[in-house]
Structure formats: structure tokens, C-alpha cells
Amino acid sequence: MPRDRGGATVLLLALGLVFVLVGTFGAAVTATAMAAQRAAVAADLGALAGAGRAFDGDTAACAFAADIAGRNGGRLADCRLDGLDVLVTVEVTVTPLPGLTRVAASTARAGPVRA
């Protein structure tokens, strides 16, 4: 009777490790993509909020934009008025893997409708 040497066990463990690594990589890519989407949403909403306060000046518009961006998981990196248009840049920090931190940024503009 031949003795079992455990070759199938080693192969199964190696295959399981491959699945775990691919799953971890996929989760990291997804987390990064979600951070970019969150930055875009926070920038859009922050720009809209700031545009609603554009008549009150730069400080009031940017403070309101920063508040709304923060409530949506972002950090206001830049804000300025261009006439009645508000331009904001929002950053979202994400750590998809331990020891790997990335920043997703998005810029948005909002203002009155022009004919």
C-alpha cells in the first residue's frame, strides 16, 4: 500500500492562498474606486452648497462648502470664487491595505445657469 505524501494538501493550500491574494487585491481596488466616487460626490455637493452662498462672499461660500464636504466624508483642499461660480477641490483619504494610504481628489464647479 503506497504512502500518501501530502502533495494534494500542499496544492490545495497554494490554491487557497492564490484566492485570498486575488480577493484582497480586488477589495483594495474597489476601496480605492469608492474613495474616488466619494470625493466626486463630496465635491459636487460642496460646490452646490457654496454656490448658494456666493453672494455672501468667498469666506461664507467656502465655509459652507467645507461643512458639506466634511459631512460627506471629504476634506476641502481648495475653494475659490470665480464670479458667482464656486470651484472646490475635495480630498478623501483611503487605506486600502495596511501601510498603503492613498488620497483621492475631485474638483467641481457650480454656479448660476447661463443662457
Side-chain angles (χ1 to χ4, degrees):
M1 187 156 151
R3 295 185 55 173
D4 185 10
R5 295 184 183 201
T9 303
V10 172
L11 182 63
L12 186 60
L13 287 174
L15 186 61
L17 180 62
V18 167
F19 281 133
V20 168
L21 290 176
V22 168
T24 302
F25 179 73
V29 169
T30 302
T32 304
M34 287 177 63
Q37 185 66 32
R38 192 175 330 135
V41 168
D44 288 342
L45 293 175
L48 288 170
R53 299 282 175 107
F55 284 120
D56 297 335
D58 223 7
T59 306
C62 290
F64 201 57
D67 178 50
I68 296 300
R71 290 175 188 237
N72 285 281
R75 182 186 68 81
L76 193 67
D78 185 40
C79 178
R80 64 184 173 91
L81 281 178
D82 182 16
L84 291 177
D85 288 352
V86 177
L87 285 94
V88 298
T89 300
V90 175
E91 294 178 342
V92 173
T93 304
V94 63
T95 305
L97 296 172
L100 181 67
T101 302
R102 295 288 180 248
V103 175
S106 183
T107 301
R109 170 190 288 259
V113 176
R114 292 177 179 80

